[in-house]
Amino acid sequence: MDASAIAARLASGVITPLVKKLFVSEGPGAGLVDHPVRVSSLVSFTGEKRQLTDADLHKLTRGLLRSAMGSPDNGERPVPPGEEEAVALALARTLTHLGDLEMDDVQAVRMGPQALAQALKAAGPDCTRDLSADGAYLHDALLTSACLHILHFFTQRSTFVARTLVEHSGQLAQVIAKTDLLLARNPSPVTKDTLFEERYAAHIIQKHGMLTIYGIDLSRSPEQWPLGTAYLSLEADLDRDTRHAMIRAEHAFNGRDRVLLRGVAGSGKTTLVQWLAVTTAQQDLTVLDSGAPLASLIGRVPFVLPMRTLTRQHDDLPTPDEFLHRTRCPLAGAQPAGWVDRVLASGRGLLLLDGIDEVPKRTRERTRRWLQDLLATYRKNVWLVTSRPSAVRDRWLATEKFTELSLAPMSREDVTSFIHRWHNAARSVSEQEERNQLDTYEASLVTAIRTKQDLARLATNPLMCGLICALHCDRRGYLPSGRKELYDAALSMLLARRDRERDMEAPDGIELTEEPKVRLLQRLAYKFILNGKSELDRSHAERVIADTLPSVPVAAAQGDATAIFQHLLLRSGLLREPAIGTIDFIHRTFQDYLGAKAAVEEGDMALLVLRAVESQWEDVIRMAVAHARPKEGAEFLMDLIRRGDGSTSGYRRSQLHLLATAAVEHATELEPRVRAAISERAGALIPPRSPREAHDLAAIGPVVLELLPGPERLSDEEALLTAHTAVLIGGDAAIPLLRRYQDHPDPQVRQLLCNAWHRFDTVSYAEGVLADLPEEDVHFEIATPEELSTFGKLGGRSRIRVSKGFDTIRLVQGLRPDRVTHLWLPAEQSATWYWLAAFSRLDTLTLDPSTEPVDVSSLAAHPFLRVLRIPSNQPVVGREALIDKVMVTPYQPDPGIDPAV
């Protein structure tokens, strides 16, 4: 394909946002001058107003090139793939000469785009020296296109230019408009795809760019919040044999392109899917190309595929051309013929299959075969599959080379961050008096979470944290202590107090108190569960209400099933209509809680035991124990135990015994014999013998800590898995157990203890676990300012690993440099390394991976540094200065380790 044709592909919607980043962003009115402005004073990568580094500029030109190239069509690329990076780098170097031009914006506009491009080339004649003829031609075409938009930017910025150069301004705007119109009329499939992808990206951002934060019901409170404000980065546990690495969940595709992500209800799986889809659709290179973790999302097209929607009314699963139709995308009819196939065939897709656990069990294996067919046909795309933990067995997609991750319970730091974000969101729509109250509530809730174990046990995922924040405000600082009480209070807030406190006076003529609403909704929830669905047709839901109304006379007296259902849909806060004619609960957890209540009241305990092996019923069974009367609950738990004892499958036996153990915490009263029987079965599963068993045990909660053994008589692998289980459970109650592992001879066990610091109270963990932990063969990890401050009080250590974001001066002050012999730092910690002279005993320096070259020449001045460890593929500048002074040792970084953790 001709290079000029490729450059012409750049519609204004693609290139304008990139061009704007080349220039300083100033406050309102800053550009309204009555005189010309020097071009060199406007650029954002030189001088005192510098906002872009050379590396940032390179990222922008790389993105510009990717946008222009589009799909890698066979034989249509103007330069070999290996030279594309060189073209991007040459274009970045040419654009830096905007800061060298001896002209103002008026003169530049008068020159026109071609002349400006020639001036930039003349200022940097060596920029294209190493390119082939085709590469130089592509560089020039892209440069001219960029100059057109640069000049148009000038005309929009300055009133002087706009007033004195109306003709030039109009001509530039006309050229850009004609380019966009030509692109729109061009019958080329590639051009049609590009234009449609712009519309589709805008749709994804609009559809998934908002997040519901449950329970913020203050005055003028919206129901949804911008995803960028509300999103909380959570951790996932990468299971690789017995080695465990915590990574940030959104970095799941760092070094891998097929991921199966497990997480309990409310843990943030769907929110992560939304964030990945929106981030990919936005294609903000300052985010995506900031480092390796997100680089694989550049240039991709996201497809959000909620499995509940794909399987709701169809026995068959969709082919790629049906993705948009089956997910009810309003642009489905406008997509160019064969567009999805072209995207996937070129390896540009990001496929997000959300909720495998919501596929009926009878069709789950067929779903797996459907996914295998897609994987075999479209190999080069990026795939994420989410599921509740036990819905699919271990290594369910191992033959397809999927990496399994598990969303970890929220750390103490995550919970504190969530509380802060929640109250910030609430403050943004509150009156001054409410804001003052929210300040008080936030501070008291953070203190309560840190000091009350029963409350900390509940605050383990975003959903529960949101309910806790809402109830804490709603009840003016009072909180229930158990999970059942928490849900009861949340339902009361949503069903009864919400309308009353908003002065809603029966706008539909129907007034129902909390009790009849609960009875109707629990029956509806139970019908969802019995049908194995997370969505129902509206007509089906109305029939359920019609069948239930005779037993709820106060509701029957106010309207028929259609009217009552409409009232519940609009006023309960628990139901929604994601598409016309389709109904679901706002969150699966509410559905399971209400369904469990219905099952217990209808005496269906035997049915619950029968369904206990089905993953979709797990939370229903746990909540049923909470709703049951003491004797009823005890017999139910014993039935689960007996069914597990009689199972011929070891997996089923463990599953049922673990489920009974997990349900114990919900029982308000339990006979000692029942508790003893359950503890005996759970003890047979301890110590854990695989990462999956460790996660299953941790999901049960703090009650497992009482059963976990110390390291005595455990193998190294068992000790590592047992300690990992305790880390996942977290809380102050885990610290005494972990202290018993601090002298373990296996360095992997002790390294796990070092890595886990940020998941606990900083001071308590440092004093209880780290203070006496041997340091000779592990790196003490520092991830937060609080940890750095506490670290100095420990007296420092010899081996230290530091995450990103620390000021160099603070590191020197806080790390006790006179003790440090081995230091592990982000490669981008600083431009030069002379400051390391403060570490007078430093022997070995390790650098984390970076996408940009690292200049190591200044390390030659360090008097004692003997070894420099760098990633094997890390670009390095100044290596020759280290010859005969420092031994440079390449190492293969573990793609699962997130340097920020």
Side-chain angles (χ1 to χ4, degrees), residues 104-155:
D104 56 45
D105 52 357
V106 175
Q107 294 168 330
V109 171
R110 282 177 175 156
M111 290 176 67
Q114 289 84 6
L116 177 61
Q118 289 300 322
L120 289 172
K121 288 180 60 181
D126 293 335
C127 292
T128 58
R129 180 182 57 190
D130 297 327
L131 299 180
S132 66
D134 288 339
Y137 186 47
L138 176 60
H139 165 277
D140 294 351
L142 291 172
L143 178 64
T144 302
S145 182
C147 286
L148 170 64
H149 289 78
I150 287 170
L151 297 183
H152 190 243
F153 169 82
F154 289 163
T155 70

Side-chain angles (χ1 to χ4, degrees), residues 235 246 408-412 727-728 731 756-761:
E235 289 180 322
M246 288 292 186
M410 292 171 68
S411 67
R412 186 183 294 256
V727 167
L728 289 174
W757 190 6
H758 69 289
R759 299 190 59 80
F760 295 83
D761 176 73

Side-chain angles (χ1 to χ4, degrees), residues 476-634:
R476 305 188 184 282
Y478 167 76
L479 280 171
S481 58
R483 191 176 296 268
K484 178 181 182 297
E485 290 79 8
L486 187 70
Y487 278 114
D488 285 340
L491 290 173
S492 179
M493 178 180 65
L494 292 171
L495 297 177
R497 302 186 63 179
R498 188 171 185 245
D499 282 353
R500 183 168 67 247
E501 294 181 358
R502 290 186 171 190
D503 296 323
M504 300 292 292
E505 297 182 357
D508 52 8
I510 296 174
E511 288 192 58
L512 295 177
T513 59
E514 180 181 344
E515 181 59 27
K517 286 181 182 177
V518 168
R519 291 193 61 80
L520 292 166
L521 287 166
Q522 71 185 41
R523 182 61 197 169
L524 186 60
Y526 196 31
K527 183 60 70 172
F528 272 79
I529 295 166
L530 288 171
N531 282 308
K533 297 283 189 180
S534 295
E535 294 181 343
L536 284 181
D537 290 338
R538 178 173 182 141
S539 58
H540 191 172
E542 289 179 354
R543 288 198 301 273
V544 174
I545 297 299
D547 293 340
T548 311
L549 274 180
S551 62
V552 190
V554 68
Q558 299 189 53
D560 60 12
T562 300
I564 296 298
F565 176 79
Q566 183 70 8
H567 173 79
L568 294 174
L569 177 62
L570 296 179
R571 306 296 343 139
S572 72
L574 290 175
L575 295 176
R576 63 182 179 179
E577 192 171 16
I580 295 176
T582 301
I583 304 299
D584 67 0
F585 278 79
I586 58 170
H587 199 280
R588 175 80 172 273
T589 299
F590 291 114
Q591 172 189 307
D592 291 347
Y593 180 80
L594 288 167
K597 191 172 188 294
V600 171
E601 291 183 3
E602 295 184 22
D604 284 351
M605 306 302 279
L607 174 63
L608 295 182
V609 174
L610 183 65
R611 297 294 187 93
V613 295
E614 299 179 28
S615 61
Q616 291 174 303
W617 287 74
E618 284 185 4
D619 280 358
V620 179
I621 288 166
R622 296 172 69 167
M623 287 293 100
V625 174
H627 289 295
R629 291 167 295 186
K631 289 186 177 180
E632 189 177 34

Side-chain angles (χ1 to χ4, degrees), residues 745-762:
D746 185 353
Q748 283 196 76
V749 175
R750 284 181 282 115
Q751 187 63 61
L752 173 67
L753 299 183
C754 292
N755 298 352
W757 190 6
H758 69 289
R759 299 190 59 80
F760 295 83
D761 176 73
T762 304

Side-chain angles (χ1 to χ4, degrees), residues 834-888:
Y834 293 109
W835 61 278
L836 288 177
F839 295 81
S840 58
R841 299 181 58 201
L842 183 62
D843 175 87
T844 300
L845 175 66
T846 303
L847 299 181
D848 274 319
S850 172
T851 57
E852 301 302 328
V854 178
D855 189 341
V856 300
S857 58
S858 56
L859 289 172
H862 198 286
F864 299 107
L865 185 66
R866 188 176 59 85
V867 178
L868 171 64
R869 297 177 67 243
I870 58 174
S872 55
N873 58 348
Q874 175 67 52
V876 175
V877 176
R879 184 170 181 165
E880 61 280 358
L882 304 184
I883 295 177
D884 299 330
K885 295 183 178 181
V886 178
M887 179 173 63
V888 180

